[in-house]
Amino acid sequence: MNDAGRIGFVIKGDYVDTDTYDFLDVVFYNDASYVAKKLTLGNTPVRSSEHWQIFAEGGSLADNGDISNTTITFNQATSRVNVASGEKVSIFAGKVKKFFADLKNVAFTGSYNDLSNKPTIPAAVAVKGNAESQYRTGNVNLTPANIGAVATSKVLSTEEQINANTDTTYVAGATAVKAMVGEINSNLSEQIYDFETSTFLNNITYVTRLSEWYPKNKIYKIGRICWMSLGIKTQNVTENGKILNVATIPDAFAPIAVVSKRSSDYMIGIYPGNNLLYASERDVTKFPNWSDVAGEGEEEFIEFNFVYFSKI
């Protein structure tokens, strides 16, 4: 047929290689539609040739919209942008291709050698322990000896070891030092013995305050230093005793040696042999009855305080 005689497309259906097609005949081949440019026989349709021009691509969709078997034609996007809902399939594919095209080879190989701008890995660093004279590289076994530290065998772990040690190359362990510091702090903490709980002997009673300046009846102790502050009231004693025992002092507050204090009328003190607090007449050579100090039915006030070292 003369090309000038055709004024519209003629749908011919699927392409058949043995059929003759005229100008403007439209066939379907490989999921695309082609239109004949002129009379042709046996020339398979392609996108653009002497006999055929592509008319439409993509073929037809399944009833459920599945395009898994649809062939598409697209161009790679010019820049990396995210895909968006509602875009044409060709735009979607072009964006995906751009992302893949920009990936470097290492993304597909996973090889360190395919990295670009790899960091420079420095050579092995030489090290030298405090006790060594030469630097070394490679695997270095750090020991107490080659870094100048004390070997664990020279760490004193108990108070007994520390007290017995005379070697300056040994050191005290932290745990042992902590225990010793705790013991020191405990020893330095204040201890108080209150005479109000004591049993007084031989008609003795305590006097809480003899005057405004006099403290209460107590022994104060820090470490092994003791300060005794006491006021007592004695009643006349007619028995033949020359020294009047006042009270018994606990071991923790008893003196390491005899302590005493004298006045014009009396002497008081503590004897460490039996921890007795005693009082007697000032002139110990006469040893009269205590009644010589406090007359029959009378009372004698004795007040004193002094400092001494305790036994323990």
Side-chain angles (χ1 to χ4, degrees), residues 102 129 201 252 289 308:
D102 286 353
L201 311 174
N289 291 333
Y308 61 90

Side-chain angles (χ1 to χ4, degrees), residues 202-270:
N202 293 325
N203 297 318
I204 300 296
T205 59
Y206 69 86
V207 181
T208 302
R209 297 182 72 88
L210 293 178
S211 61
E212 288 301 319
W213 59 267
Y214 204 81
K216 288 188 176 182
N217 301 291
K218 288 180 172 56
I219 300 177
Y220 299 88
K221 178 180 179 182
I222 297 179
R224 293 181 63 186
I225 301 175
C226 296
W227 177 59
M228 176 180 289
S229 171
L230 183 64
I232 60 174
K233 179 174 66 175
T234 68
Q235 293 179 355
N236 139 287
V237 177
T238 57
E239 62 190 44
N240 220 7
K242 307 304 186 295
I243 296 178
L244 188 65
N245 294 328
V246 176
T248 301
I249 306 298
D251 279 341
F253 296 86
I256 193 171
V258 174
V259 293
S260 63
K261 186 173 182 180
R262 300 168 184 259
S263 71
S264 59
D265 296 325
Y266 60 84
M267 177 179 73
I268 49 86
I270 307 173

Side-chain angles (χ1 to χ4, degrees), residues 120-148:
T120 301
I121 300 177
V125 178
V127 297
K128 178 174 74 70
N130 293 338
E132 297 179 310
S133 59
Q134 300 295 324
Y135 284 90
R136 296 180 290 151
T137 59
N139 294 330
V140 178
N141 180 27
L142 296 179
T143 65
N146 62 32
I147 64 174

Side-chain angles (χ1 to χ4, degrees), residues 112-187:
Y112 177 81
N113 293 328
D114 289 329
L115 280 174
S116 57
N117 300 321
K118 291 189 290 289
T120 301
I121 300 177
V125 178
V127 297
K128 178 174 74 70
N130 293 338
E132 297 179 310
S133 59
Q134 300 295 324
Y135 284 90
R136 296 180 290 151
T137 59
N139 294 330
V140 178
N141 180 27
L142 296 179
T143 65
N146 62 32
I147 64 174
V150 176
T152 54
S153 60
K154 289 196 170 186
V155 177
L156 305 173
S157 57
T158 66
E159 180 180 349
E160 291 74 21
Q161 291 176 347
I162 294 174
N163 291 332
N165 178 63
T166 58
D167 190 336
T168 58
T169 63
Y170 282 75
V171 298
T175 303
V177 171
K178 179 181 178 181
M180 294 179 71
V181 170
E183 182 178 351
I184 292 172
N185 289 335
S186 176
N187 290 337

Side-chain angles (χ1 to χ4, degrees), residues 1-3 5-16 19-29 32-41 43 45-46 51-56:
M1 178 182 293
N2 190 326
D3 294 346
R6 287 285 181 94
I7 59 174
F9 297 111
V10 179
I11 306 302
K12 292 293 187 177
D14 290 340
Y15 172 77
V16 179
D19 288 351
T20 298
Y21 296 98
D22 205 347
F23 176 64
L24 295 183
D25 284 346
V26 178
V27 299
F28 185 72
Y29 180 73
S33 298
Y34 297 87
V35 61
K37 293 180 178 180
K38 61 182 180 179
L39 189 68
T40 177
L41 172 65
N43 297 298
V46 294
H51 301 92
W52 297 100
Q53 175 63 46
I54 192 166
F55 187 67

Side-chain angles (χ1 to χ4, degrees), residues 70-98:
T70 302
T71 301
I72 62 172
T73 300
F74 64 91
N75 295 316
Q76 177 179 305
T78 57
S79 61
R80 290 194 303 273
V81 292
N82 202 0
V83 297
S85 178
E87 290 182 325
K88 293 181 179 180
V89 174
S90 59
I91 299 298
F92 174 86
K95 289 181 177 181
V96 173
K97 184 175 181 180
K98 176 61 176 173

Side-chain angles (χ1 to χ4, degrees), residues 100-109 114 116:
F100 274 94
D102 286 353
L103 291 175
K104 304 303 179 184
N105 193 43
V106 67
F108 303 98
T109 66
D114 289 329
S116 57

